[in-house]
Amino acid sequence: RFTGHPLRGAMSDAVTCVVADYSNQTHCETVSSLLNEYALDRFGNSAPLDLGVRANLCARLSTIAGAFSVIARVGKTPVGLINAFQGFSTFKCAALINVHDVFVMPNHRRKGVTQAMMATVQEVAVSRNCCKLTLEVLSNNQNAQRSYEKFGFASYELDPALGTAQFWEKKLPFDGEDVMVEAGECTKQVAGEKIAEEQS
């Protein structure tokens, strides 16, 4: 289990980070809740996650080799989340970590939360002998770019004359049936989040 080093700044409480245990219900509900907050954000999807996605998220993540999530807290309050996945660099013939989701609650932004979470991600990456960290960021999300640059990230390029890498996607037919669950189970898990947050 990895725990990030406490980080004190303009907060009355330290930022503490932990790598989520996907078999821990409280951790799973926290991951689901924070990712839903990210989905609601204008830099996310501006819409909530489907209940089936929220209810099955950690169960599915637990089946993906190398996947992990970092939860940041201030006191007992969850304030940030990173979801990351282990990949592979063919040019280095070595593992890498892709930082897939980064989210901090609005009232805790610009207070060192992202830096603390990234430090924990890097700790995991070093323990796995990874050669680098990668991520994608929207071109108009200047605040996020400054935070990533502060941690040491830079746009990817092989030769300045060839330009920088871009992140592209092609969406495929997907009905989502394999992540749907009974409505009662969804309601039970989502309704349990408030209790879990109070107990965490």
Side-chain angles (χ1 to χ4, degrees):
R1 178 176 176 176
F2 293 86
T3 55
H5 300 292
L7 177 65
R8 294 184 182 275
M11 301 181 179
S12 58
D13 294 307
V15 178
T16 57
C17 297
V18 62
V19 175
D21 177 355
Y22 292 142
S23 67
N24 181 301
Q25 183 179 357
T26 299
H27 284 192
C28 289
E29 290 169 351
T30 300
V31 169
S32 173
S33 179
L34 287 170
L35 189 65
N36 188 60
E37 292 294 331
Y38 181 25
L40 290 166
D41 191 88
R42 68 190 185 100
F43 285 112
N45 192 42
S46 298
L49 296 174
D50 290 338
L51 288 179
V53 171
R54 296 186 64 181
N56 284 278
L57 179 63
C58 285
R60 292 298 296 272
L61 286 172
S62 69
T63 68
I64 301 171
F68 65 97
S69 302
V70 174
I71 298 169
R73 291 189 177 92
V74 173
K76 294 184 178 181
T77 303
V79 299
L81 173 71
I82 284 179
N83 291 317
F85 299 89
Q86 186 166 315
F88 189 78
S89 169
T90 52
F91 282 13
K92 297 290 186 181
C93 196
L96 60 81
I97 295 297
N98 176 254
V99 178
H100 187 69
D101 301 307
V102 181
F103 176 73
V104 177
M105 294 292 288
N107 57 331
H108 288 279
R109 292 173 184 172
R110 301 184 185 182
K111 296 179 180 180
V113 177
T114 297
Q115 301 297 305
M117 292 192 296
M118 286 292 188
T120 302
V121 170
Q122 181 167 295
E123 182 181 358
V124 173
V126 170
S127 75
R128 298 181 182 183
N129 198 29
C130 293
C131 64
K132 63 180 177 180
L133 306 178
T134 65
L135 55 74
E136 300 85 40
V137 61
L138 293 173
S139 60
N140 288 333
N141 194 342
Q142 300 296 321
N143 289 335
Q145 290 181 38
R146 283 191 289 270
S147 180
Y148 302 152
E149 289 172 346
K150 181 178 179 181
F151 194 75
F153 284 95
S155 58
Y156 177 82
E157 63 180 25
L158 298 173
D159 182 335
L162 300 177
T164 58
Q166 298 179 350
F167 179 68
W168 289 21
E169 71 171 2
K170 177 183 177 181
K171 294 183 178 179
L172 302 174
F174 174 67
D175 58 19
E177 289 184 359
D178 60 339
V179 298
M180 298 306 293
V181 296
E182 293 292 334
E185 294 180 25
C186 295
T187 302
K188 181 179 178 181
Q189 176 153 349
V190 175
E193 288 178 359
K194 180 175 176 56
I195 297 175
E197 289 177 4
E198 292 175 350
Q199 295 176 341
S200 63

